[in-house]
Amino acid sequence: MRPPGGTLEHLIRTGWRFWSSGLHKAVALLQATWIAYSQPVPAGRGQLLTQVLLCGSLALAAASLTYCWLASSLLYPLGPSAAVATACGLLAFLGLGLVPPTRCLFALSVPTLGTEQGRRLLLSWSTATLTVAVVPNVLANLRAAGQVLRCVTEGSLESLLNTTHRLQTASQALGPDGQAGSQGLTLQAQGDSAAAFRLHVLRVTQQVLEDFSGLESSARGVALGTQRVVTGLFMLGLLLDSAWYLHRYLTDLRFDNIYATRQLTQRLAEVRATHLTASPPAWLLWAARPRLSQAELLSCLVRLGLFTLLLMATAVTVATDYVAFLLAQAAVDWAQELPAVPVTLTIKYSAAYTVLGHIPFLFNQPPPENPYLSAHNSFQWELRFTAPGCPLLPAQRPHTAAPLAAGALQLAACSTVLLETYARRLRHSIAASFFRTQEARRVRHLHARLQRRYDRHQGQLQDVSSCS
């Protein structure tokens, strides 16, 4: 019977062997799948079946992504989007299955996303997504605030005109007897001029709201059209960049031939020329080593600083959207809570006259008054600061998904700064896997280049020793 400590150690070792064996099997399966995918002509039925399954899966994924991109992001109709996505899926399946360079081009487009071209594509998606979501939303909130101003202006003018009309009615209710004394109440309202002023103010506010609405619609259309054009151009640029790399790789032996690969190491070991890489030149990069050079790190830091400014600009844009929403919401809530103020106007009018009032005054007595007229009128109305027939527009809440998607795209673009060197190495490895004969020629060319450098260096050393 094993002690508890030995049992625990045995379990750990068994679990490690299980995970290690599973990992090796997974790596072996991936390598076999990649070999089958990169073969120009399948070597057997297994590789043929693997190629068909991979090409079908990639074509289905491409069709699904195309449909989601057209229908959700670019807001095309569902019918045309499905038709275009189906056509793209069929073309992708035929191209991947029948044309081996197409498979290489498709595989090269993945690491190309980690290069400068891919970074531009991600940033264009981010900017377009943020613009489509934020700019129309800010304009909609400004239009809601303008509607509040219009309703308050219209309601205040109506209350003012109503008050003027009530006062005029009160003055007319006194009748001609109101002018019997030395004091009188005279109030005249020019109804036509007041109505014209009210219509002028309403026309101005309506024109402002229509301008905001038109600007909002134009901003949505321009942003969506820009997103469609820019995304299409950069997708085309991504494919063209991959095709340009493949063309240069196949036609120019010096292009991107700066990697000390496993094939180069094997060739140098076969011809006993490993001394050529004992003191390698600065331009020679070891493809299997993940370490970055000092110049690459400095370039990454500079680009990361620029991305920090971009992230700050994005944060300011999103904050502007939230500030516009809060202001519009506060204005709408304030206008909805404005109470109607009841107004009551009570007019009491009494008139009396005296005859020979100076005679009682001589005897220090009040003069007798004879009532002539007595009136008591009451008028009631309400002061409303918002017009009943003017609907208030709700404040548009900022979209959460769009800024998050834009931020995720910008972070992905930021990560490509650090991964660009590895993406270039991966792109070279993919091309080498598809075109092994061309890679062998490139290895021979790189070997000859290293040999010439070594011979030149040895000649300089001999000249220095002979001069000394």
Side-chain angles (χ1 to χ4, degrees):
M1 183 176 180
R2 294 182 178 180
T7 304
L8 180 60
E9 183 179 357
H10 175 71
L11 290 176
I12 293 175
R13 289 181 178 179
T14 304
W16 172 252
R17 286 198 211 99
F18 174 77
W19 285 109
S20 178
S21 174
L23 182 61
H24 284 299
K25 290 181 180 179
V27 171
L29 179 61
L30 289 177
Q31 289 178 348
T33 304
W34 176 253
I35 291 174
Y37 180 79
S38 60
Q39 285 289 338
V41 179
R45 293 181 179 178
Q47 287 191 355
L48 177 61
L49 180 61
T50 303
Q51 275 193 7
V52 171
L53 291 178
L54 286 175
C55 294
S57 300
L58 292 176
L60 182 61
S64 301
L65 290 176
T66 302
Y67 177 77
C68 294
W69 175 54
L70 293 175
S72 300
S73 299
L74 302 186
L75 302 180
Y76 281 108
L78 298 181
S81 299
V84 172
T86 303
C88 288
L90 291 176
L91 290 177
F93 179 74
L94 294 176
L96 292 173
L98 300 178
V99 185
T102 305
R103 293 201 299 270
C104 180
L105 188 66
F106 192 86
L108 284 175
S109 62
V110 177
T112 303
L113 280 173
T115 61
E116 185 177 1
Q117 184 69 24
R119 191 158 52 247
R120 291 177 180 175
L121 174 62
L122 294 175
L123 291 178
S124 68
W125 278 352
S126 171
T127 304
T129 302
L130 194 65
T131 303
V132 169
V134 171
V135 174
N137 203 60
V138 171
L139 293 176
N141 286 324
L142 291 179
R143 188 160 64 95
Q147 182 72 7
V148 170
L149 177 62
R150 176 196 174 189
C151 293
V152 171
T153 303
E154 184 178 350
S156 301
L157 285 175
E158 288 181 355
S159 297
L160 178 61
L161 294 176
N162 189 24
T163 302
T164 304
H165 176 70
R166 293 291 184 177
L167 292 177
Q168 184 180 8
T169 303
S171 64
Q172 293 176 354
L174 296 177
D177 297 329
Q179 305 295 332
S182 59
Q183 303 294 329
L185 178 60
T186 303
L187 181 62
Q188 184 177 4
Q190 300 295 331
D192 296 337
S193 300
F197 176 72
R198 176 177 178 271
L199 290 176
H200 174 71
V201 172
L202 294 181
R203 191 180 299 114
V204 170
T205 54
Q206 183 65 27
Q207 184 63 37
V208 171
L209 290 177
E210 290 177 357
D211 292 341
F212 269 113
S213 180
L215 185 60
E216 179 185 356
S217 301
S218 301
R220 289 184 184 274
V222 170
L224 184 58
T226 303
Q227 185 185 23
R228 292 174 176 176
V229 173
V230 170
T231 305
L233 290 178
F234 276 100
M235 287 295 293
L236 181 62
L238 183 64
L239 296 176
L240 291 178
D241 188 72
S242 301
W244 173 83
Y245 179 87
L246 184 59
H247 172 72
R248 292 291 304 275
Y249 178 86
L250 295 175
T251 57
D252 189 358
L253 296 178
R254 294 173 296 178
F255 173 72
D256 200 26
N257 198 1
I258 57 174
Y259 300 103
T261 59
R262 183 169 54 87
Q263 292 86 346
L264 178 64
T265 305
Q266 292 177 353
R267 177 177 176 81
L268 295 180
E270 291 174 357
V271 299
R272 297 180 180 180
T274 55
H275 58 278
L276 297 180
T277 56
S279 57
W283 48 264
L284 186 65
L285 299 177
W286 295 91
R289 296 180 182 178
R291 184 177 179 182
L292 298 178
S293 64
Q294 186 175 2
E296 290 172 339
L297 286 176
L298 181 60
S299 176
C300 290
L301 291 177
V302 173
R303 292 179 181 179
L304 287 177
L306 297 177
F307 271 102
T308 303
L309 296 178
L310 179 61
L311 290 175
M312 292 176 60
T314 303
V316 170
T317 304
V318 175
T320 302
D321 189 12
Y322 274 91
V323 168
F325 164 70
L326 293 176
L327 291 178
Q329 188 178 38
V332 172
D333 293 342
W334 171 77
Q336 289 177 346
E337 294 175 358
L338 283 177
V341 180
V343 178
T344 301
L345 177 62
T346 302
I347 299 177
K348 293 181 179 181
Y349 182 79
S350 298
Y353 64 92
T354 58
V355 179
L356 301 176
H358 60 283
I359 296 177
F361 177 74
L362 295 176
F363 297 98
N364 199 16
Q365 295 292 330
E369 295 182 353
N370 298 313
Y372 170 70
L373 178 64
S374 178
H376 181 275
N377 293 315
S378 180
F379 302 91
Q380 294 181 353
W381 69 93
E382 289 184 345
L383 295 178
R384 296 182 179 272
F385 297 98
T386 55
C390 182
L392 294 175
L393 299 177
Q396 298 293 329
R397 186 175 295 275
H399 300 282
T400 305
L404 289 179
L409 290 174
Q410 290 181 1
L411 290 178
C414 184
S415 66
T416 61
V417 174
L418 298 175
L419 299 177
E420 183 173 2
T421 301
Y422 304 107
R424 294 181 184 278
R425 297 178 186 179
L426 180 60
R427 189 164 57 173
H428 175 269
S429 300
I430 290 174
S433 299
F434 277 88
F435 302 97
R436 294 181 176 85
T437 304
Q438 178 68 12
E439 181 63 18
R441 287 196 292 264
R442 291 168 63 86
V443 168
R444 290 194 295 269
H445 179 271
L446 182 58
H447 177 198
R449 183 181 179 185
L450 292 174
Q451 186 66 48
R452 288 193 300 269
R453 175 185 175 275
Y454 179 79
D455 295 340
R456 185 170 57 252
H457 183 65
Q458 292 296 324
Q460 292 176 356
L461 291 178
Q462 291 177 2
D463 292 340
V464 171
S465 60
S466 62
C467 292
S468 61

